[in-house]
Amino acid sequence: MKYMLLIYTAPGGDTEPQCTFEDWQQYDKEMKDAGIWVSGDALADLTTTTTVRVSQSGEKTVTDGPFAEAREILGGYDVIDVPDLDAALAWAARCPGARDGGSVEVRPLAGFGD
């Protein structure tokens, strides 16, 4: 079953991050070596965000920045293909993004018509 791991960071942390770039490289390598990695990427800085809304009348509104202020910032994602939720949760717990006040949201993909 495919799951998306949504990796959130706490904004503006006061402490030095415990995980390193090498930790991220190792995590990516472990997922690929295990044959579970489907896709994933880091997202560009939050300041590059553009939000689009369409009203009921069909009027489009485009604004710079995210839709709402958030306590956590979506920093990236991975899609993995594992046997079940327990396996997805185990991989989420290994993610460097789960440290330093961050979190990893685990969501199954709907797979309409797959």
Side-chain angles (χ1 to χ4, degrees):
M1 180 161 194
K2 291 182 183 167
Y3 291 88
M4 180 173 272
L5 307 181
L6 298 160
I7 305 164
Y8 291 91
T9 60
D14 294 333
T15 60
E16 191 68 29
Q18 295 175 2
C19 63
T20 65
F21 180 72
E22 290 76 19
D23 292 334
W24 285 102
Q25 288 182 309
Q26 182 64 32
Y27 180 66
D28 289 347
K29 181 180 181 328
E30 289 171 4
M31 286 191 297
K32 290 174 182 172
D33 289 350
I36 63 154
W37 189 82
V38 176
S39 66
D41 220 327
L43 299 177
D45 188 84
L46 186 64
T47 60
T48 65
T49 302
T50 304
T51 299
V52 176
R53 290 184 212 101
V54 179
S55 69
Q56 288 183 342
S57 66
E59 183 179 339
K60 177 179 74 171
T61 303
V62 178
T63 56
D64 290 336
F67 177 71
E69 293 296 321
R71 293 177 209 225
E72 295 180 316
I73 299 166
L74 179 60
Y77 70 94
D78 285 305
V79 175
I80 59 174
D81 193 351
V82 293
D84 54 34
L85 177 59
D86 288 337
L89 294 174
W91 279 99
R94 294 171 67 172
C95 179
R99 303 181 215 154
D100 301 328
S103 63
V104 178
E105 181 180 336
V106 178
R107 305 259 321 252
L109 298 186
F112 299 115
D114 279 353

